[in-house]
Amino acid sequence: MKDTLQPGITFEWQTTVPERAVVPALFGEHTAFAQQMPAVLATGYMVGLMELACTQAIIPHMDWPVEQSLGTHVSFSHLAATPPGMTLTIRGELVEVEGRRVRFRVEAWDGLDKISEGEHERTIVIAEKFHVRLAEKKQRAGL
């Protein structure tokens, strides 16, 4: 990690909600469930976008791609429904750096409503070491 990875880093990132991000599309293999749900941004997809925004914010402050970050904790509310086609604005701040662990405060807006707020933690890892451990686990699992 670079010395610049410090609390106080702020970011703003925008993305448009794609059709594949809505509840029926995300859970399409569960047909009965998916057909009954509204075509709005799925919470799981929203969480992924918020993680991505945090990841992008710290890449310039790491030895990328040797160092990478992995999500280890999320605590986000989902406050309002967002249909596909709307543009999300995700804003956040790095509020804590403790060793390899980083913690963010994050909010998301869809242009009309605040749709989420909460906290997210990531851990900085050495990619090569992580992939070795992952390969070992896959081997133990017979994959």
Side-chain angles (χ1 to χ4, degrees), residues 3-122:
D3 291 341
T4 59
L5 186 65
Q6 297 290 328
I9 294 170
T10 60
F11 60 90
E12 180 173 305
W13 182 65
Q14 291 187 318
T15 189
T16 301
V17 176
E19 289 287 338
R20 71 178 180 277
V22 300
V23 176
L26 192 63
F27 297 108
E29 69 274 10
H30 302 287
T31 307
F33 170 77
Q35 290 174 348
Q36 301 302 315
M37 297 301 291
V40 295
L41 176 62
T43 302
Y45 201 96
M46 178 196 76
V47 168
L49 291 174
M50 293 177 77
E51 282 194 86
L52 179 58
C54 292
T55 300
Q56 291 178 338
I58 61 173
I59 284 175
H61 306 280
M62 299 182 332
D63 183 15
W64 178 264
V66 173
E67 292 178 323
Q68 296 181 9
S69 68
L70 302 171
T72 55
H73 182 79
V74 293
S75 178
F76 296 127
S77 59
H78 197 163
L79 304 170
T82 304
M86 291 190 81
T87 299
L88 296 184
T89 300
I90 300 171
R91 296 183 188 104
E93 179 179 0
L94 178 60
V95 295
E96 182 180 10
V97 177
E98 185 176 294
R100 296 180 301 123
R101 185 181 63 83
V102 294
R103 186 170 56 88
F104 299 87
R105 202 164 303 132
V106 190
E107 297 179 343
W109 301 79
D110 67 11
L112 296 176
D113 296 309
K114 181 185 214 178
I115 67 159
S116 184
E117 62 185 5
E119 292 190 350
H120 176 46
E121 289 184 5
R122 302 190 68 74

